[in-house]
Amino acid sequence: MSALEARLDLQRRRRLGMVEAVWGEHKTAAQIATILKTMHHAGELAFVTRVDPVKAADVQARCPEVQVHAAASCLTLGKLPPGDGKPLVAVLSGGTSDRRVAEEAALALRVHGVSSVPFLDVGVAGLHRLLAVLPDLEAVPVLIACAGMEGALPTVLAGLVPQPVIGVPVSVGYGVSAGGRAALDGMLASCAPGLSVVNIDNGYGAAMAALRILLGRGLQGSGDEASRAQ
């Protein structure tokens, strides 16, 4: 891959406190491997999203140091921050089918040294499941809620708790769910005041919105040291 094919934003961490994330779905394994090595040699923790298992194996064969995060469909190259501090973000999902998106959000936070706590399968089809975990959410500053079908989880959650809630519509559901469009429209039309919404399946975007909130509150450092590859 030539310099004209990939212009990496190696200053993003210093400028915004964020590591550049590489979209992997429409790149070849060879392109991804080259980008990972380039970022790593520049002293950056390399992070690639949306990589299927076959492509992940191909990338790892080209660059054995790459770590595959199968549940999140992501790759990293470089030492991850320990992520063993107090959880600053809760990542909730309506069902286990939403897990990949939730895992992507959690890993994106981990890359930036932010610890998160998962609450999977707490969708509103069994509202008692969500109500049961509300006490556990009280001490967590920011909440990310991933949901497919009609996407009601973020609306219900934002009507029950005072923290910032970031909704992630997920492309799970029958017929009129339209690959996550019904969930997206439902979240955008929510009557819960202050609910923020990112694009369909965009766990990374939700994580970065949470990171900005934390940075604005002074709850998280700039990410300069936490995001640097060792």
Side-chain angles (χ1 to χ4, degrees), residues 151-174:
L153 175 61
T155 288
V156 174
L157 186 62
L160 294 172
V161 300
Q163 301 102 307
V165 176
I166 303 164
V168 188
V170 180
S171 55
V172 170
Y174 301 105

Side-chain angles (χ1 to χ4, degrees), residues 4 17 38 40 98 125 140-141 177 199 201 215 219:
L4 292 177
T38 300
H40 187 60
D98 307 320
V140 186
S177 295
N199 210 341
D201 290 342
L215 290 171
L219 296 176

Side-chain angles (χ1 to χ4, degrees), residues 9-22 39 44-49 69 74-76 78-86 88-89 103-116 144 203-215 219-229:
D9 186 0
L10 299 176
Q11 290 76 44
R12 185 178 301 182
R13 176 169 51 80
R14 289 185 288 275
R15 189 175 69 249
L16 301 177
M18 299 176 184
V19 175
E20 179 178 11
V22 177
M39 294 185 70
E44 294 292 335
L45 173 55
F47 177 46
V48 184
T49 66
H69 305 269
C74 293
L75 307 174
T76 58
K79 185 177 179 181
L80 288 173
D84 55 0
K86 178 182 177 181
L88 297 178
V89 181
E103 293 281 358
E104 179 182 290
L107 179 60
L109 291 166
R110 171 80 185 281
V111 163
H112 293 83
V114 177
S115 295
S116 64
I144 293 174
Y204 168 76
M208 294 306 95
L211 182 64
R212 285 181 180 268
I213 292 171
L214 295 173
L215 290 171
L219 296 176
Q220 178 66 19
S222 66
D224 186 73
E225 292 303 322
S227 303
R228 186 178 296 279

